[in-house]
Amino acid sequence: MKFETLINLAGSVIFGLLGITALIGAIFFGAWWHFVTFGMCALMAYVLYTDDEYGTESVSAFFKRIKSK
C-alpha cells in the first residue's frame, strides 16, 4: 500500500468514527445539529475512500485488487 493510499484510509476511518459519534450524539442526546456534522463526516469519509486523483490508488481499488488475488 502506498503512503497516499494509507493516509486516505486513515482519514476515512477517522472521519467515519467522528461521524458515527456525531450520529450517536444526535440520536441519543437530542443534539439535532450533529446531523449536519454526521453528513459532512460521512461525505468526507466517502471522498477519501474513493479518491483516485493525481495518480494515487483509491482505497476501494486497493481492496478490490487485494480481494481478486
Side-chain angles (χ1 to χ4, degrees):
M1 180 181 285
K2 286 183 153 181
F3 182 71
E4 294 88 5
T5 307
L6 182 65
I7 292 298
N8 283 348
L9 176 63
S12 182
V13 167
I14 289 169
F15 276 109
L17 290 174
L18 183 62
I20 290 171
T21 304
L23 183 63
I24 289 170
I27 292 172
F28 292 116
F29 298 109
W32 59 267
W33 53 89
H34 280 303
F35 283 121
V36 175
T37 306
F38 166 71
M40 291 297 124
C41 286
L43 179 67
M44 191 65 192
Y46 175 75
V47 166
L48 286 173
Y49 186 75
T50 60
D51 179 33
D52 61 353
E53 294 295 322
Y54 306 113
T56 62
E57 183 181 25
S58 69
V59 178
S60 63
F62 175 77
F63 285 138
K64 284 180 187 175
R65 185 172 53 88
I66 295 298
K67 186 178 177 183
S68 68
K69 287 184 180 182

